[in-house]
Structures are given as structure tokens and as C-alpha cells.
Amino acid sequence: MDHPSHFVFGTHPEHGFAATATAHTPIHLADWYLTREQFEQVPGTPGLYRLTRPDHDGARRTRQAVHDLRARGFAVYADYTLDPASEPDLPEQLANARQTRLARAATTRSPQLRTTVSPPPLPVAAPVPGGAAVRPVGRSR
């Protein structure tokens, strides 16, 4: 048997990402949770809330609000595009990303294994007229 929803999330033609509480949620509690999830009450429309700054990653923020309310034990209905349950599991996404990074690393040459260039050979001491050999100045091996 399905439990009645406490919140409903969707898109509104005029207000964008919107939420409302059902009759199963006290008004003061709905207001408290929705305002903390960055929703504001629509003036003149009691019980209807819209996402603040919807152009700033609105769909992700709305999905996060749905996720947060469900994590607190509320039954939440959300449109398919706003329902985090309709997305692949995050652990699966992270595992796929990790596999991609590992595959890329396996096919790329490590910068630590650069071929080093040998230093140029030291000049050989040249005989100087008069018999004394001049040795190059620098470190000895």
C-alpha cells in the first residue's frame, strides 16, 4: 500500500520549479522545510512555493530538495525529470567515473617515467705547451 505524499514537486508554467505540501503535512512544517531547501512562497498563492534563482542549476537543486526531504522520512512525489530516483545510482556513477580514470591512466605514459637526457661529456684535458696538463674546473666524479 502506498503512503500518501507529504510534498509534490514539479514545473509550473509561470513559476518554474515549484513545490507544494499536501494535506498530510502541517503548513508551518512545510514552510520551514521548503524555505530551507531554497523555495519561497509564491505571493498570492497560498501553499505554492517556487525555487529561488531557478536559472542557477534549478533542476539539480530541486532534485536535491526531493532527496533531502525523502532522507528525512517524508513521502515526496516528483515529476520524472526532478526525481533523483529516476537517475542512475550515485555509487554506480562514481564507479563508472573511476573505471574511466583508471583506463585513461593505463593507456597514458606516466610523467614520472620520462626518459632522461644524459649530461654532455666532460671535456678531456688538453695538453698545454710546456708540459702541464690543465684539468677542467667543476665537480669530479
Side-chain angles (χ1 to χ4, degrees):
M1 181 174 168
D2 286 341
H3 297 286
S5 292
H6 295 104
F7 294 95
V8 177
F9 286 80
T11 54
H12 188 278
E14 185 181 342
H15 302 296
F17 301 104
T20 188
T22 66
H24 301 285
T25 309
I27 295 170
H28 69 282
L29 191 61
D31 184 71
W32 193 87
Y33 276 105
L34 289 173
T35 55
R36 271 136 194 91
E37 292 293 340
Q38 301 178 21
F39 282 80
E40 62 187 1
Q41 194 163 14
V42 175
T45 312
L48 182 63
Y49 291 78
R50 64 181 170 208
L51 183 65
T52 59
R53 298 176 45 213
D55 55 330
H56 188 254
D57 207 10
R60 185 202 56 79
R61 291 172 46 223
T62 303
R63 282 192 298 273
Q64 185 65 48
V66 171
H67 171 78
D68 292 347
L69 290 170
R70 285 179 178 161
R72 287 179 172 75
F74 291 104
V76 181
Y77 172 82
D79 287 349
Y80 182 78
T81 59
L82 301 175
D83 193 340
S86 66
E87 295 181 345
D89 288 339
L90 184 58
E92 182 180 320
Q93 289 176 350
L94 292 176
N96 290 341
R98 182 174 185 271
Q99 286 176 338
T100 302
R101 284 193 315 271
L102 288 173
R104 190 176 306 127
T107 59
T108 306
R109 186 171 194 169
S110 172
Q112 295 175 348
L113 298 176
R114 283 185 248 158
T115 38
T116 57
V117 179
S118 300
L122 293 174
V124 179
V128 175
V134 176
R135 301 199 41 87
V137 179
R139 292 185 349 195
S140 63
R141 290 193 177 196

